């Protein structure tokens, strides 16, 4: 009797563009079934893709996750950046980034981990800016919060062999990076001489989902093109 290999299931937030979309495309190419969460539908059609339109900045969107279960991987890639120097910081911008970068992963993980498969993987997309950057303080604060969050989850989920890690890119060539609204705080090209490509982040996700990474947990993997060396 033939035994069919069980197709693995991943949930990806922030799936409509940039890093999130690259991760979705890469996982589909690898044969995963993907549930994509974002406000806008990804410009992508695939038999293994399920799209759920959802505003991840809501106070409480857990009811919109009803019926989802049994994931092998949860990847939280939704993100945005608002920049301002001290004395012009807008609290509403900081609140929005906190909701999207911190509270959204909390709601997703809190809702879906009880039914998640043992030996699963949780990956949060952070940022090298979490270390601090001029005019990006509120963004950095929301991204740096992921470090304590992920390490705490990693400790709690050790008995189930579910790993929790952060991937923290430097300047990555995405629509967010190239947004004209960032003209006051233009991105710096990494010392390597080029912007990081979203597929490089997707490839790192692939590694963290593989058996080679089953003992890596509670870590922050920085991909910066040499930006952390100075």
């Amino acid at each position: 009797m033939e035994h069919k290999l069980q197709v693995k299931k991943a949930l990806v937030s922030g799936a409509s563009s940039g890093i999130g979309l690259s991760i979705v495309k890469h996982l589909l190419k690898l044969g995963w079934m993907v549930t994509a969460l974002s406000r806008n539908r990804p410009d992508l059609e695939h038999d293994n893709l399920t799209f759920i339109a959802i505003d991840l900045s809501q106070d409480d969107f857990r009811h919109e996750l009803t019926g989802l279960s049994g994931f092998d991987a949860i990847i939280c890639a939704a993100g945005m950046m608002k920049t301002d120097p001290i004395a012009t910081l807008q609290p509403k911008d900081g609140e929005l980034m906190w909701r999207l970068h911190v509270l959204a992963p909390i709601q997703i993980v809190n809702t879906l981990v009880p039914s998640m498969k043992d030996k699963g993987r949780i990956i949060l997309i952070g940022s090298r800016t979490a270390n601090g950057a001029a005019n990006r303080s509120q963004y950095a604060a929301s991204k740096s919060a992921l470090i304590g969050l992920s390490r705490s989850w990693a400790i709690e989920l050790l008995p189930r062999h579910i790993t929790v890690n952060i991937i923290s890119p430097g300047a990555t060539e995405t629509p967010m990076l190239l947004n004209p609204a960032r003209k006051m705080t233009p991105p710096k090209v990494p010392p390597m001489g080029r912007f990081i490509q979203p597929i490089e982040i997707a490839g790192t996700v692939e590694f963290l989902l593989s058996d080679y990474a089953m003992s890596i947990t509670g870590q922050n993997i920085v991909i910066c093109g040499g930006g952390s060396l100075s």
Side-chain angles (χ1 to χ4, degrees), residues 42-216:
D43 185 15
L44 178 66
E45 296 293 336
H46 196 286
D47 290 343
N48 284 355
L49 177 65
T50 300
F51 170 66
I52 299 177
I54 185 169
D55 181 357
L56 296 167
S57 66
Q58 293 179 73
D59 282 340
D60 189 348
F61 57 76
R62 288 173 297 173
H63 63 284
E64 298 187 54
L65 304 178
T66 301
L68 300 180
S69 64
F71 288 103
D72 299 276
I74 294 172
I75 300 138
C76 296
M80 64 169 296
M81 179 187 287
K82 295 277 190 177
T83 63
D84 274 311
I86 295 172
T88 65
L89 294 172
Q90 301 297 315
K92 67 180 187 330
D93 292 341
E95 180 181 357
L96 178 57
M97 288 185 283
W98 186 266
R99 288 178 184 276
L100 196 57
H101 300 156
V102 183
L103 297 185
I106 287 174
Q107 291 194 61
I108 292 169
V109 168
N110 198 43
T111 303
L112 299 180
V113 158
S115 69
M116 192 176 191
K117 294 176 183 176
D118 290 349
K119 300 182 181 179
R121 311 295 165 86
I122 298 171
I123 300 172
L124 308 178
I125 302 301
S127 172
R128 192 179 85 85
T129 302
N131 292 331
N135 304 324
R136 297 173 174 86
S137 58
Q138 295 191 102
Y139 176 82
S142 66
K143 288 296 189 178
S144 64
L146 296 180
I147 296 172
L149 193 66
S150 64
R151 288 180 64 85
S152 299
W153 286 344
I155 294 166
E156 290 185 51
L157 295 171
L158 274 175
R160 294 180 57 190
H161 295 191
I162 294 174
T163 67
V164 188
N165 293 289
I166 303 173
I167 299 174
S168 292
T172 305
E173 194 167 348
T174 65
M176 185 174 78
L177 185 86
L178 304 175
N179 190 336
R182 289 193 56 181
K183 63 183 179 180
M184 298 299 294
T185 55
K188 295 181 180 179
V189 177
M192 198 170 280
R194 63 173 180 82
F195 290 125
I196 297 152
Q197 298 302 303
I199 189 59
E200 296 176 76
I201 312 306
T204 306
V205 168
E206 178 186 357
F207 169 71
L208 288 175
L209 296 180
S210 73
D211 289 344
Y212 299 112
M214 63 175 59
S215 297
I216 300 174

